[in-house]
Amino acid sequence: MIPGSFAYHRPKSIAEAVGLLADLGDEARALAGGHSLIPMMKLRLATPEHLVDLAAIADLAGVRADGADIVIGAMTTQHGLIASALLTEKIPILRETSLVIADPQVRYLGTLGGNVANGDPGNDMPAVMMCLNATYQVAGKSGERRIAAREFYQGAYFTALEPGEIVTAVRIPVPAAGHGYAYQKLKRKVGDYATAAAAVVLTKAGGKIASCSIGLTNVAETPLWAEAAAKILVGSTLDAATVKKAVAAAEAITSPASDNRGPAAYRTKMAGVMLARALARAAARAT
Ligand SMILES: Cc1cc2nc3c(=O)[nH]c(=O)nc-3n(C[C@H](O)[C@H](O)[C@H](O)COP(=O)(O)OP(=O)(O)OC[C@H]3O[C@@H](n4cnc5c(N)ncnc54)[C@H](O)[C@@H]3O)c2cc1C
């Protein structure tokens, strides 16, 4: 339970951080809240020789409105998401999701940037970001770029980030006023990763679903955006037959591992159950 030795770096700017990561190469890792990386280091599943701590970089902090988007600095903690009045008002699914991540101790240090960049299919925020059509702002030594969350995840712990790049912020288009939302997570106990979870954001008009987006957590090597399932629901009143079809379409794109959270078939079914519950809660919240 003791990590290997490493050199510690504490840059003050994004440019300094990406410069260090580029110069130090494969042996360097960015450090954010440390609540995924340090456990991996203690188990010797990660043995970086250099840690580049992002904590002192002021430009990675804060939550701000920017036109029709909200921009959240990568070092914003999960506690910071819960405490943000702006997010609670405009994108309340982030608060709901943060509250089911781990426990307060983890949430005080664990960051949004670390959660989305980590690439662990068990992390909760990536599917929510796909559901919300978020974009990740990324910086590397050769400049800045933006990557859609829906295109970011390529495999377990394998993302679209190039070596030396960091996520600097998450940009989320503010969902329509009156939208309904829910993040429904099945876990074995408080503080656990999801057996399966579903994120839903929808709008209603004239008693029917006008728009719908669905993300699924921990039921494949990557988080999933269930586009076909959501399309089935648009135009419906969320009647039982249509929900059943949408649930089947969502279950069809899952490919979970059989592990200590249950056999694959069970986890697929639980993804469907979480989705049906999330749809009902989101619809009840929509105005
Ligand atoms: C007991 C326990 C329970 C947990 N339960 C859950 C849970 O239920 N759901 C959940 O989602 N998470 C859970 N976590 C993980 C937690 O949310 C982590 O905080 C999160 O996954 C990673 O964020 P971090 O800031 O701690 O990142 P770190 O651990 O510092 O970094 C994680 C990885 O991301 C990279 N990284 C970090 N920041 C950036 C960046 N800005 N740009 C590029 N790469 C970056 C690092 O190099 C590293 O590879 C749990 C953790 C613990 C210890």
Side-chain angles (χ1 to χ4, degrees), residues 148-187:
R150 291 174 186 171
E151 288 163 14
F152 188 76
Y153 299 97
Q154 301 177 346
Y157 297 100
F158 186 54
T159 71
L161 281 181
E162 295 292 341
E165 281 186 325
I166 60 168
V167 174
T168 56
V170 173
R171 176 176 286 270
I172 306 173
V174 176
H179 73 278
Y181 66 92
Y183 189 67
Q184 193 79 35
K185 176 174 174 178
L186 176 68
K187 46 190 177 172

Side-chain angles (χ1 to χ4, degrees), residues 1-39:
M1 296 304 283
I2 297 172
S5 59
F6 56 86
Y8 177 80
H9 308 264
R10 197 173 171 90
K12 292 272 186 342
S13 68
I14 293 171
E16 195 188 340
V18 297
L20 274 166
L21 287 167
D23 294 346
L24 296 168
D26 284 350
E27 298 310 328
R29 291 280 282 272
L31 174 70
H35 272 65
S36 287
L37 182 54
I38 303 291

Side-chain angles (χ1 to χ4, degrees), residues 62-72 86-87 90 171-172 174:
V63 179
R64 66 184 171 86
D66 181 20
D69 298 339
I70 287 183
V71 180
I72 307 172
L86 180 65
L87 291 178
K90 301 287 189 190
R171 176 176 286 270
I172 306 173
V174 176

Side-chain angles (χ1 to χ4, degrees), residues 63 76-85 87 98 107-108 110:
V63 179
T76 305
T77 62
Q78 291 146 11
H79 171 75
L81 299 178
I82 293 167
S84 164
L87 291 178
S98 300
R107 298 197 293 258
Y108 277 124

Side-chain angles (χ1 to χ4, degrees), residues 21 28-39 51-52 54 60 74-76 78 97 100-103 106-107 109-120 122-126 152 157 161 165-169 185 187 189 191-194 217:
L21 287 167
R29 291 280 282 272
L31 174 70
H35 272 65
S36 287
L37 182 54
I38 303 291
L51 288 184
V52 178
L54 307 179
L60 297 180
M75 288 301 285
T76 305
Q78 291 146 11
T97 305
V100 292
I101 292 178
D103 51 50
V106 172
R107 298 197 293 258
L109 281 175
T111 67
L112 178 62
N115 200 290
V116 300
N118 193 25
D120 181 343
N123 281 138
D124 288 290
M125 284 298 174
F152 188 76
Y157 297 100
L161 281 181
E165 281 186 325
I166 60 168
V167 174
T168 56
K185 176 174 174 178
K187 46 190 177 172
K189 60 180 177 60
D192 194 18
Y193 288 88
T217 296

Side-chain angles (χ1 to χ4, degrees), residues 226-254:
E227 186 179 14
K231 269 193 187 146
I232 289 169
L233 296 159
V234 174
S236 81
T237 56
L238 226 58
D239 56 283
T242 310
V243 170
K244 198 172 169 191
K245 269 190 218 159
V247 163
E251 289 178 0
I253 64 167
T254 67

